[in-house]
Amino acid sequence: MLPLLANAHGSQTLVWHQGRAVTREAFINSARSLAPLLPPAAHVINLTVGRLSFMLGFAAALLRNQITLLPPNQTPAALADVKQRYPDHYVLDDAQLQAWEERKVATGPIGEQSLALPADEVRVVLFTSGSTGVPQAQPKTWQVLARTGELDAARFTGELASRFRGCTLNLVATVPSQHMFGLQTTVLLPFWGDCAIHDSRPFFPADIRDALLALPAPRALVSTPVHLRACLASNIALPPVEFVLSATAAMPLELAHAVEQRWQAPVLEIYGSTEAGTMGTRRTTQGDCWRLLPGARLRSVAEGWEYQGPHLPGPVSLSDRLALISPDEFRLLGRAADQIKIAGKRASLSELTHALLSIAGVQDGCVFQAPDTQRTAALAVAPHLTAAHILDELAKRVDAVFLPRPLVLVPQLPRNAVGKLTQAALLAALPGRSAT
Amino acid sequence: MSAAPALSADELTMAQRLVDALSLEGVNASAIAPNAALFGGHSDGLGLDSIDALEIALMIQQHYGVELKSDDPQAREAFNSLRDLTDYVLMRRKS
């Protein structure tokens, strides 16, 4: 058995909600009063946006031994797929949680027993964001999740604690709680580290500034290269932060330097996956080596590399190419060519191409990495369709960030003599990119 | 998109800035329907996504000096269409 969170009786803040500090103890009491109000189902699909709503729904479900399902994205198809695969479910959103919150009744004092959770039972299912077809379910036991929170806390607040000794670190995060990086930083880190999180999920640079301003120091920002770039470009003035934590896409070195210079704080980057959570971390401006989490190992196997985490039930195989520098340091040599990652979502180009080809009327086609941007591009042979129609059909099957831009209709694909499509030939077929 | 209804001069300027900021290759600014959805469908709109929303916010700030915030319900509605966006930005710029 493992507790729901560390220091459950604490008077430290866990969430900053509408200018008010919600302490760990108050949070636990809310979750305990909420738990009996949840519908009797095996699974809950938690779609809440507010951090407090998410945490309360999550904690109450844990106390009821319900499994939280976190859909990979909220496209109608992804949601329908999860609902169909787990028929015994209810859906939790902010409005629903709010309604229950108003009906809850006070509970007795917190006992050790009331917070002990079975360590080895699955409590959360995440999904690897397969761009098409069936997303792979990634079940997590409470043991794995709690240990992930502890390991992250040791690395991100423990090692940097000298910067903000004795104080609870206050976090603002731009990422949704419904994927692994988001769950780790917005829920597990506050549960298991000495951290509190702002209730909002800021989007625009001005939102991020306002959320940080609403928190006392010391503060840290959890975000992505996309949001950090937008903040820099907007020239927005942020209050001091102790560090910036980024994941979901590779952090370009110049961006990391620019962020550090502007905000006088280290940029820390996570190398991780839905399967394994955080595997390695680095300060991007101080070299390209990643440091493994304590106790973790990489092992070379026939198909590539396996990651062994001290908290994981088994090894996780990696699709990226890497080189081991020392037992706990590695360098990333390249992502597997077929894999792309946009806005924290991972897809394979072959899967995206498969989705394009599955549209009625598309005779041939190819999705590939667009030049100069993070986006994808596509060529399609579909004499009776418009590009707009194909994109609408594709939007039903894949997440919006993977939609090709541009999608160009062509009479035939530029296949070479052996029928292969080279990147150069594909690029040359895009408008304004003639090969000559 | 059907026969393009006329855009006002301000809407046309905004449309051109959107096309430039978002690198919408193959989209003619003057052919963007003023009431078509910016986000979502491609047949009846531009099919933009959240990364585009950040780019649009940046463009609005740089060209109009208007800061977009998501806790402003009017700002959220501004993202409905080219016309709503233009009206919102011009109104905020004057105030």
Side-chain angles (χ1 to χ4, degrees):
Chain A
M1 304 290 272
L2 273 175
L4 174 65
L5 81 181
N7 197 8
H9 296 277
S11 57
Q12 298 101 315
T13 307
L14 183 70
V15 188
W16 291 94
H17 180 249
Q18 296 176 351
R20 198 172 54 90
V22 179
T23 66
R24 301 176 86 85
E25 186 162 20
F27 170 79
I28 287 292
N29 280 323
S30 285
R32 289 172 67 224
S33 347
L34 181 64
L37 299 174
L38 301 180
H43 303 96
V44 47
I45 302 179
N46 190 334
L47 302 180
T48 51
V49 175
R51 308 298 183 190
L52 183 57
S53 298
F54 185 91
M55 277 178 163
L56 279 175
F58 181 66
L62 285 168
L63 294 173
R64 282 280 299 273
N65 285 339
Q66 295 178 345
I67 299 176
T68 296
L69 305 175
L70 300 175
N73 58 58
Q74 295 191 12
T75 60
L79 219 46
D81 176 64
V82 170
K83 287 179 178 176
Q84 192 221 325
R85 284 158 76 182
Y86 303 88
D88 185 16
H89 71 262
Y90 63 96
V91 175
L92 185 63
D93 59 22
D94 294 83
Q96 178 63 74
L97 193 117
Q98 189 63 42
W100 285 333
E101 272 277 272
E102 283 159 17
R103 283 175 39 205
K104 71 182 188 192
V105 290
T107 54
I110 304 171
E112 293 302 317
Q113 209 52 42
S114 58
L115 294 180
L117 302 175
D120 296 328
E121 292 174 15
V122 169
R123 281 294 163 259
V124 172
V125 180
L126 292 128
F127 298 84
T128 40
S129 45
S131 51
T132 63
V134 189
Q136 285 287 310
Q138 300 290 339
K140 307 274 184 191
T141 62
W142 186 239
Q143 158 108 357
V144 164
L145 294 170
R147 289 282 289 140
T148 299
E150 282 183 325
L151 288 166
D152 280 346
R155 171 85 21 123
F156 296 117
T157 56
E159 290 184 13
L160 295 159
S162 59
R163 291 179 71 107
F164 41 91
R165 184 171 297 284
C167 295
T168 298
L169 182 69
N170 295 307
L171 303 174
V172 167
T174 63
V175 292
S177 303
Q178 282 89 352
H179 59 55
M180 191 58 186
F181 175 55
L183 185 69
Q184 285 178 240
T185 50
T186 67
V187 179
L188 302 175
L189 196 52
F191 274 14
W192 290 93
D194 193 4
C195 289
I197 186 152
H198 190 275
D199 183 61
S200 74
R201 188 208 291 178
F203 180 76
F204 295 119
D207 302 336
I208 297 174
R209 176 201 58 208
D210 290 355
L212 285 168
L213 280 173
L215 299 177
R219 311 171 186 89
L221 175 63
V222 176
S223 195
T224 69
V226 169
H227 282 94
L228 294 172
R229 189 184 295 286
C231 282
L232 274 187
S234 73
N235 257 321
I236 199 140
L238 299 186
V241 291
E242 303 299 326
F243 62 86
V244 175
L245 181 57
S246 174
T248 74
M251 162 72 64
L253 185 59
E254 322 93 88
L255 180 61
H257 274 297
V259 169
E260 290 204 349
Q261 200 164 12
R262 182 79 60 86
W263 297 322
Q264 297 296 310
V267 173
L268 308 176
E269 196 182 356
I270 289 183
Y271 174 73
S273 71
T274 304
E275 295 89 327
T278 304
M279 292 184 276
T281 64
R282 68 176 176 184
R283 181 170 173 186
T284 318
T285 56
Q286 296 196 337
D288 60 354
C289 272
W290 298 88
R291 198 153 54 97
L292 288 169
L293 286 181
R297 285 289 169 265
L298 286 168
R299 202 164 69 95
S300 175
V301 291
E303 310 78 49
W305 291 89
E306 265 183 11
Y307 173 81
Q308 298 173 315
H311 57 309
L312 299 180
V316 174
S317 51
L318 306 177
S319 58
D320 293 334
R321 293 181 298 115
L322 30 107
L324 207 55
I325 308 299
S326 75
D328 54 9
E329 282 179 307
F330 65 97
R331 193 173 275 139
L332 211 50
L333 299 179
R335 309 256 174 202
D338 187 53
Q339 294 286 318
I340 55 165
K341 216 174 174 187
I342 304 176
K345 292 159 181 163
R346 201 185 286 266
S348 90
L349 291 169
S350 55
E351 282 177 333
L352 292 170
T353 296
H354 179 79
L356 173 64
L357 295 175
S358 71
I359 295 168
V362 174
Q363 297 167 359
D364 199 358
C366 181
V367 180
F368 52 101
Q369 184 81 54
D372 313 327
T373 69
Q374 283 193 38
R375 302 282 190 177
T376 64
L379 300 180
V381 181
H384 306 296
L385 302 180
T386 62
H389 171 83
I390 296 173
L391 286 168
D392 278 339
E393 285 300 309
L394 207 51
K396 294 177 190 164
R397 297 163 166 83
V398 312
D399 193 273
V401 295
F402 298 119
L403 290 178
R405 187 177 297 178
L407 180 141
V408 181
L409 288 172
V410 290
Q412 60 186 40
L413 291 191
R415 293 185 187 279
N416 68 13
V418 291
K420 284 215 159 116
L421 290 164
T422 66
Q423 181 76 5
L426 289 167
L427 293 183
L430 293 179
R433 296 199 167 255
S434 129
T436 51
Chain B
M1 284 172 236
S2 52
L7 298 182
S8 72
D10 287 329
E11 286 164 355
L12 186 59
T13 306
M14 178 69 81
Q16 189 56 54
R17 285 173 173 161
L18 285 177
V19 167
D20 293 343
L22 305 178
S23 318
L24 298 174
E25 288 174 44
V27 174
N28 181 347
S30 60
I32 297 178
N35 292 315
L38 292 177
F39 294 80
H42 291 80
S43 297
D44 53 0
L46 286 180
L48 304 182
D49 64 24
S50 62
I51 298 176
D52 297 314
L54 280 176
E55 293 290 341
I56 293 173
L58 191 59
M59 180 278 282
I60 298 285
Q61 190 211 335
Q62 284 168 346
H63 286 285
Y64 300 90
V66 172
E67 198 172 66
L68 290 173
K69 293 213 249 183
S70 35
D71 58 6
D72 175 1
Q74 285 183 314
R76 258 175 281 164
E77 281 174 28
F79 278 85
N80 287 345
S81 68
L82 174 64
R83 181 153 290 164
D84 289 336
L85 186 64
T86 310
D87 290 349
Y88 175 81
V89 167
L90 294 182
M91 183 190 73
R92 284 283 304 270
R93 186 165 61 165
K94 282 174 194 147
S95 60

